[in-house]
């Protein structure tokens, strides 16, 4: 959309009504932005986007009725270039960022962004300019410092999160308890934590399980 005398058409996708209401209320005072639709899930968003034909979509990643990543991928399959998609989320892990960008998102912003930053992000995206957090830019340029867990480290941590003991994890994974402890120790270092509870919490924050 090149004619900026015409308001930027926006669709808001989030499964929390209070978040949607807050964004709608915020944009209501912006003459250059017109909210033309709301959705509470990925599938609902796809239907509304087809009808509303927005310039920019604000898309949450994780929603109870259907996640945003799948919706982004489907939308990009149908329409490679438009609308522009801004992920607006609380998750800022390398995995979340990478999967969102690979799915076809044009921008990545956190929900704690200031009002002016969000309004500017919508305007920038409508003009074709990418909008990325510092962490997202690092992922995109290959400079992210977040260390990835190996498959076995992740599996051991997932079993710990289910409440299994080291002995039970060893039996499930068919390895020795000493190897389980090694996997967990490596996971602790990569996650920057010192104990099992903190490791499980950090893994959830990264979206590992």
């Amino acid at each position: 959309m090149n004619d900026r005398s015409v308001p930027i058409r926006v669709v808001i996708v989030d499964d929390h009504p209070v978040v949607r209401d807050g964004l709608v209320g915020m944009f209501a005072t912006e003459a250059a932005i017109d909210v033309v639709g709301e959705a509470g899930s990925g599938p609902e968003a796809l239907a509304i986007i087809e009808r509303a034909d927005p310039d920019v979509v604000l898309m949450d990643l994780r929603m109870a009725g259907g996640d945003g990543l799948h919706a982004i991928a489907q939308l990009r399959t149908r329409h490679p270039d438009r609308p522009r998609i801004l992920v607006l989320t609380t998750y800022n892990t390398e995995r979340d960022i990478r999967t969102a960008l690979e799915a076809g998102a044009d921008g990545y912003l956190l929900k704690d962004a200031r009002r002016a930053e969000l309004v500017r992000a919508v305007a920038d995206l409508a003009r074709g300019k990418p909008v990325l957090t510092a962490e997202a830019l690092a992922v995109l340029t290959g400079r992210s410092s977040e260390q990835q867990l190996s498959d076995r480290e992740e599996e051991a941590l997932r079993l710990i999160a289910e409440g299994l003991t080291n002995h039970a994890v060893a039996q499930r994974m068919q390895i020795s308890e000493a190897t389980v402890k090694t996997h967990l120790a490596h996971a602790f270092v990569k996650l920057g934590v010192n104990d099992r509870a903190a490791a499980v919490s950090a893994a959830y924050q990264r979206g590992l399980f």
Side-chain angles (χ1 to χ4, degrees):
M1 188 174 192
N2 297 316
D3 185 0
R4 287 281 69 86
S5 64
V6 177
I8 301 167
R9 296 168 60 83
V10 172
V11 165
I12 297 169
V13 186
D14 196 291
D15 62 344
H16 292 96
V18 68
V19 174
R20 297 199 306 272
D21 289 347
L23 290 170
V24 170
M26 184 188 73
F27 289 134
T29 63
E30 300 291 332
I33 296 175
D34 183 16
V35 177
V36 296
E38 301 176 47
S41 69
E44 184 184 2
L46 292 171
I48 289 176
I49 289 167
E50 290 294 335
R51 295 197 305 268
D53 188 29
D55 303 300
V56 176
V57 175
L58 272 58
M59 182 78 74
D60 194 8
L61 284 183
R62 301 180 190 177
M63 294 174 283
D67 69 57
L69 285 174
H70 186 60
I72 292 170
Q74 284 192 301
L75 189 57
R76 276 294 166 256
T77 298
R78 300 177 187 180
H79 308 287
D81 303 314
R82 188 176 183 276
R84 307 285 286 178
I85 302 171
L86 174 63
V87 169
L88 187 62
T89 183
T90 57
Y91 300 98
N92 204 30
T93 69
E94 179 174 349
R95 174 172 293 196
D96 287 314
I97 294 168
R98 188 178 301 281
T99 53
L101 297 178
E102 288 176 351
D106 302 292
Y108 201 100
L109 202 61
L110 297 182
K111 288 182 178 178
D112 62 0
R114 294 180 179 275
R115 172 189 180 131
E117 184 180 4
L118 183 54
V119 170
R120 184 171 59 252
V122 169
D124 285 346
L125 278 181
R127 289 194 295 266
K129 182 179 178 181
V131 175
L132 300 168
T133 62
E135 291 84 357
L137 184 60
V139 170
L140 192 63
T141 57
R143 297 198 302 270
S144 175
S145 61
E146 185 175 285
Q147 297 186 66
Q148 296 298 300
L149 272 62
S150 70
D151 290 342
R152 298 295 268 174
E153 290 163 359
E154 188 174 322
E155 182 181 0
L157 194 55
R158 184 181 295 109
L159 293 172
I160 290 296
E162 292 176 5
L164 274 64
T165 64
N166 285 355
H167 179 69
V169 171
Q171 289 186 317
R172 181 79 66 87
M173 295 180 66
Q174 297 184 333
I175 56 179
S176 69
E177 283 191 58
T179 301
V180 170
K181 292 178 181 178
T182 298
H183 286 325
L184 292 177
H186 290 167
F188 291 178
V189 171
K190 291 179 179 180
L191 293 170
V193 298
N194 297 313
D195 59 59
R196 296 154 68 102
V200 170
S201 177
Y204 273 114
Q205 287 297 315
R206 283 198 184 190
L208 298 181
F209 44 81

